[in-house]
Amino acid sequence: MSGLIYKNFLINKWSFLFSLITALLCGLVAVLMSIFTGGADSLRQESDAESVTCVFAVLYYLAFMLPSMTTSLLFEADENKTACAFAMSTPQGGKGHVESKYYYILILNIIVMFMLFVCDTITTGLFKGAVSASLILMLFFCWRLFISAIEIPFIIRFGSQRGAAIKGVVVSVLVVIIGIYFLFGDISWLIGTDDPIASFAEWLQSGDITFWISLFPYFAIAAYYISCRISTALFRKGAESYEQ
């Protein structure tokens, strides 16, 4: 298995470096912003800390999601009958081939999360504990795993291009569901407020939503594992659909 994982890092070295550089730049922007704005001295009221946290959240989201654009490259190199036949001829077979892809994505996201945690520790110190995005980082990490859990089975079965398109449809459906909630759900915490950011932060810390947020990491990990099992079962069917 270690050899298959190493192969993924080798054939995807440029996308791997892109992911690390993106995470490093986003983290550095957060640190430099904390330094040049004066850190804790720049916080005049509680809402200032929440605004800074939201800015950090956007940076960290980009650090996780921009590299996800290269996920299809991880599979394109193996989308031919020769590569699939070789994968199935190895001691690990198609199961090991698919699992190595999941391990690669997991390891990459753990590295990105670690880099951002280091940056967040620095910014938390500069703001004397008033600003911390560690919880947001963990949620973004879980969200990235969840998106991969949706995307990869489609890529394995239909190829990187069609699989990514289907994933886009699924994500769009999720966005529509969220939009419907904002149209017809209870958004009293947002309506009529002078500070939407502060209201949103307070809503995230309310009892009901906190319970569901606390369950999301377990749900994302379970989805990632189940997705791996599904992709393993679909691998041979997907390999048969390749033209060469």
Side-chain angles (χ1 to χ4, degrees):
M1 179 61 71
S2 59
L4 293 175
I5 296 174
Y6 173 74
K7 183 203 74 171
N8 289 319
F9 278 98
L10 186 63
I11 65 178
N12 294 280
K13 58 183 178 181
W14 296 117
S15 59
F16 177 70
L17 288 174
F18 170 75
S19 301
L20 296 187
I21 291 172
T22 301
L24 179 62
L25 289 177
C26 290
L28 283 178
V29 169
V31 172
L32 292 176
M33 189 181 79
S34 303
I35 294 173
F36 289 115
T37 57
D41 295 334
S42 65
L43 303 178
R44 305 303 180 189
Q45 51 188 358
E46 185 178 350
S47 60
D48 291 340
E50 293 165 349
S51 299
V52 173
T53 302
C54 287
V55 173
F56 287 174
V58 172
L59 289 170
Y60 296 155
Y61 181 80
L62 292 175
F64 273 108
M65 300 312 293
L66 285 179
S68 69
M69 298 169 59
T70 65
T71 299
S72 60
L73 299 177
L74 178 63
F75 298 88
E76 283 183 359
D78 301 313
E79 289 181 351
N80 58 77
K81 290 187 180 295
T82 302
C84 291
F86 173 77
M88 287 185 284
S89 68
T90 60
Q92 294 84 1
K95 180 175 180 290
H97 172 77
V98 172
E99 288 180 351
S100 70
K101 305 291 186 182
Y102 278 82
Y103 278 121
Y104 169 84
I105 293 174
L106 178 62
I107 293 170
L108 172 59
N109 282 286
I110 288 175
I111 294 173
V112 169
M113 182 174 64
F114 174 77
M115 294 173 63
L116 296 178
F117 263 132
V118 171
C119 294
D120 186 65
T121 300
I122 296 173
T123 57
T124 300
L126 292 171
F127 282 102
K128 297 181 180 178
V131 174
S132 176
S134 57
L135 176 60
I136 295 174
L137 270 175
M138 179 58 68
L139 291 176
F140 284 165
F141 171 77
C142 295
W143 174 251
R144 181 68 183 87
L145 291 186
F146 178 68
I147 292 297
S148 295
I150 296 174
E151 177 181 21
I152 297 177
F154 291 111
I155 292 178
I156 292 291
R157 176 59 183 88
F158 301 106
S160 57
Q161 293 183 352
R162 284 188 293 174
I166 295 172
K167 181 209 70 171
V169 173
V170 174
V171 173
S172 298
V173 171
L174 292 176
V175 172
V176 169
I177 293 174
I178 295 173
I180 291 174
Y181 171 79
F182 275 93
L183 286 174
F184 303 103
D186 181 14
I187 55 172
S188 57
W189 50 271
L190 184 61
I191 298 175
T193 179
D194 296 329
D195 192 343
I197 295 177
S199 297
F200 181 70
E202 184 178 350
W203 177 71
L204 287 177
Q205 296 172 7
S206 63
D208 293 338
I209 192 65
T210 300
F211 171 74
W212 294 110
I213 289 176
S214 66
L215 292 180
F216 182 63
Y218 302 100
F219 176 75
I221 293 171
Y224 197 69
Y225 174 79
I226 294 172
S227 173
C228 183
R229 301 278 72 82
I230 294 174
S231 295
T232 300
L234 294 174
F235 174 70
R236 184 177 293 275
K237 190 72 174 178
E240 293 173 352
S241 66
Y242 298 139
E243 296 180 356
Q244 59 179 5

Coordinates of all heavy atoms in Angstrom, one line a residue, residues 8 13 30 45 104 115 118 124 130 154 208 219:
N8 N 1.0 7.9 -6.1 CA 0.1 9.0 -6.2 C 0.8 10.3 -5.9 O 0.5 11.3 -6.6 CB -1.1 8.8 -5.2 CG -2.0 7.7 -5.6 OD1 -2.3 7.5 -6.8 ND2 -2.4 6.9 -4.7
K13 N 2.8 15.4 -8.2 CA 3.7 16.2 -7.4 C 3.4 17.7 -7.6 O 3.5 18.5 -6.6 CB 5.1 15.9 -7.7 CG 5.5 16.1 -9.1 CD 7.0 15.7 -9.4 CE 7.4 15.9 -10.8 NZ 8.8 15.5 -11.1
A30 N -3.1 35.5 6.6 CA -3.7 35.7 7.9 C -2.8 36.2 9.0 O -3.1 37.1 9.8 CB -4.4 34.3 8.4
Q45 N -14.2 46.4 19.8 CA -15.4 45.8 20.4 C -15.5 44.4 20.0 O -14.7 43.9 19.1 CB -16.6 46.6 19.9 CG -16.7 46.8 18.4 CD -17.8 47.7 18.0 OE1 -18.5 48.2 18.8 NE2 -17.9 48.0 16.7
Y104 N -4.3 9.2 -0.2 CA -3.6 10.4 -0.7 C -4.3 11.7 -0.3 O -3.8 12.6 0.2 CB -3.4 10.3 -2.2 CG -2.9 11.6 -2.8 CD1 -1.5 11.9 -2.9 CD2 -3.8 12.5 -3.4 CE1 -1.1 13.1 -3.4 CE2 -3.4 13.6 -4.0 CZ -2.0 13.9 -4.0 OH -1.6 15.1 -4.6
M115 N -0.8 22.8 8.6 CA -0.2 24.1 8.3 C -1.1 25.2 8.7 O -0.6 26.2 9.3 CB 0.1 24.1 6.8 CG 1.1 23.1 6.3 SD 1.2 23.1 4.5 CE 1.8 24.8 4.1
V118 N -1.1 25.7 12.5 CA 0.1 26.5 13.0 C -0.1 27.9 12.8 O 0.2 28.7 13.7 CB 1.4 26.0 12.2 CG1 2.6 26.9 12.5 CG2 1.7 24.5 12.5
T124 N -3.8 33.5 16.9 CA -4.5 33.5 18.2 C -3.6 34.2 19.2 O -4.1 34.9 20.1 CB -4.8 32.1 18.6 OG1 -5.7 31.5 17.6 CG2 -5.5 32.1 19.9
A130 N -8.4 36.3 21.6 CA -9.7 36.9 21.2 C -10.2 36.4 19.9 O -11.4 36.4 19.6 CB -9.6 38.4 21.2
F154 N -18.2 8.8 -8.3 CA -18.6 9.2 -9.7 C -17.4 9.2 -10.6 O -17.5 8.8 -11.8 CB -19.3 10.5 -9.6 CG -20.7 10.5 -9.0 CD1 -20.9 11.2 -7.8 CD2 -21.7 9.9 -9.5 CE1 -22.1 11.2 -7.1 CE2 -23.0 9.9 -8.9 CZ -23.2 10.5 -7.7
D208 N -29.1 24.5 19.4 CA -29.6 23.5 18.3 C -28.5 23.3 17.3 O -28.2 22.1 16.9 CB -30.9 24.0 17.7 CG -32.0 24.0 18.7 OD1 -31.9 23.3 19.7 OD2 -33.0 24.8 18.5
F219 N -20.0 12.2 10.9 CA -20.8 12.0 9.7 C -19.8 12.0 8.5 O -19.9 11.1 7.6 CB -21.9 13.0 9.5 CG -22.6 12.9 8.2 CD1 -23.6 11.9 8.1 CD2 -22.4 13.8 7.2 CE1 -24.3 11.8 6.9 CE2 -23.1 13.7 6.0 CZ -24.1 12.7 5.9

